[in-house]
Amino acid sequence: MPHDAPRAPRTGPVAPPVAPHNAPHNAHDERLIVMAKRPALGRAKTRLARDVGPERALQLAQAFLVDTLGKVAALVHTRPTVRAQIAYAPEDAGRWFEAQAPWAEHTPQSDGDLGHRMEAALAAAFADGAARCVVIGTDAPHLAADTLAAAFDALRGADVCLGPARDGGYYLIGLTAPQPTLFRGVPWSTDTVLEITLRRAAAAALRARLLPVESDIDDGADLARLAALLGQRPTLAPATDTALRAETPSGGDGGPPSRAPSPP
């Protein structure tokens, strides 16, 4: 199998959520956007790969994606106002992502840096009628569905919601309207991203709410902390827990996680 088209999890796609009863389309005024890349050998979790090797990084990236989609499916199942959207890359990965999460909407990411891509995804969602939008990536597979719900709840009394990451960035951003100034000219992947974003929000007189601090999994030290956490609470990210317990793959596309979570 080509390295740029890794297999879907052996257990199939994350199960679709049960459709809510009596929920008209216009009731879905909350949008959860997942910025996701199709895992590919040599391009998956490159910082982590420097510590664990490219095959292991690919295996973990696949597991992170499965766990993240499981949390999104769980939220859509329990919160009828939420529509899920996967903003995917590369551009030819649409069918692959549709196979992983047929219950979500799928749109290709725009060109440009991370800020431009998030800004574009949010602008499109608001233009489509969303009243509250939350954006996440796939670097925090242990993030609970309750945390995602809390972000939407916070946006009922705030203009911007941020999930601070321990490295000085953020693992989640939520908005009630487009705010281009929060995304343009930001030095992404540095320890000043959260500080700059909060400073710009204050300058624009935006009401900001912060969620609990969490860790993005970017390198070997982050992975060790996650492994310790999952050793105590494996259900936080079951596919990642399985991948961490598996032997390091010897080559090929890294192999998918052995099981995928299902929504409640």
Side-chain angles (χ1 to χ4, degrees):
M1 181 172 293
H3 289 158
D4 62 352
R7 297 186 298 268
R10 290 189 181 94
T11 51
V14 176
V18 177
H21 297 290
N22 303 318
H25 181 75
N26 59 10
H28 294 71
D29 61 351
E30 296 177 326
R31 192 74 54 88
L32 178 55
I33 302 170
V34 183
M35 306 293 291
K37 293 181 180 180
R38 180 178 61 195
L41 186 65
R43 295 195 295 273
K45 302 296 295 174
T46 53
R47 286 172 58 189
L48 182 60
R50 289 197 288 268
D51 293 331
V52 302
E55 291 86 3
R56 185 66 160 154
L58 173 60
Q59 183 189 45
L60 290 165
Q62 291 171 321
F64 289 4
L65 178 62
V66 169
D67 282 325
T68 300
L69 294 181
K71 306 297 175 52
V72 173
L75 182 68
V76 173
H77 174 87
T78 58
R79 194 175 179 109
T81 53
V82 173
R83 289 165 60 188
Q85 176 181 330
I86 298 175
Y88 61 82
E91 189 174 5
D92 65 355
R95 289 187 178 180
W96 190 86
F97 275 102
E98 288 169 5
Q100 312 311 304
W103 40 267
E105 300 173 13
H106 304 82
T107 56
Q109 293 183 22
S110 66
D111 294 329
D113 66 10
L114 176 61
H116 186 272
R117 286 179 276 128
M118 289 195 292
E119 179 189 342
L122 284 161
F126 284 121
D128 191 42
R132 289 170 293 282
C133 292
V134 168
V135 180
I136 61 171
T138 61
D139 290 339
H142 56 295
L143 196 64
D146 287 348
T147 301
L148 302 178
F152 284 111
D153 291 340
L155 289 173
R156 294 185 179 276
D159 304 303
V160 56
C161 177
L162 290 159
R166 297 188 191 280
D167 62 5
Y170 55 77
Y171 60 84
L172 174 154
I173 185 168
L175 295 172
T176 56
Q179 301 292 345
T181 187
L182 301 184
F183 302 102
R184 297 180 181 178
V186 175
W188 303 104
S189 299
T190 70
D191 60 5
T192 61
V193 171
L194 178 66
E195 176 187 354
I196 290 170
T197 304
L198 287 171
R199 187 164 64 241
R200 291 184 180 184
L206 300 177
R207 299 167 298 168
R209 296 280 181 87
L210 296 180
L211 297 173
V213 177
E214 293 285 357
S215 293
D216 279 338
I217 311 304
D218 292 323
D219 56 28
D222 295 332
L223 187 65
R225 285 189 289 270
L226 178 62
L229 174 64
L230 296 182
Q232 299 296 320
R233 302 177 62 189
T235 57
L236 282 176
T240 300
D241 180 63
T242 297
L244 286 169
R245 295 174 187 276
E247 293 184 3
T248 303
S250 58
D253 68 0
S258 59
R259 57 191 171 94
S262 298

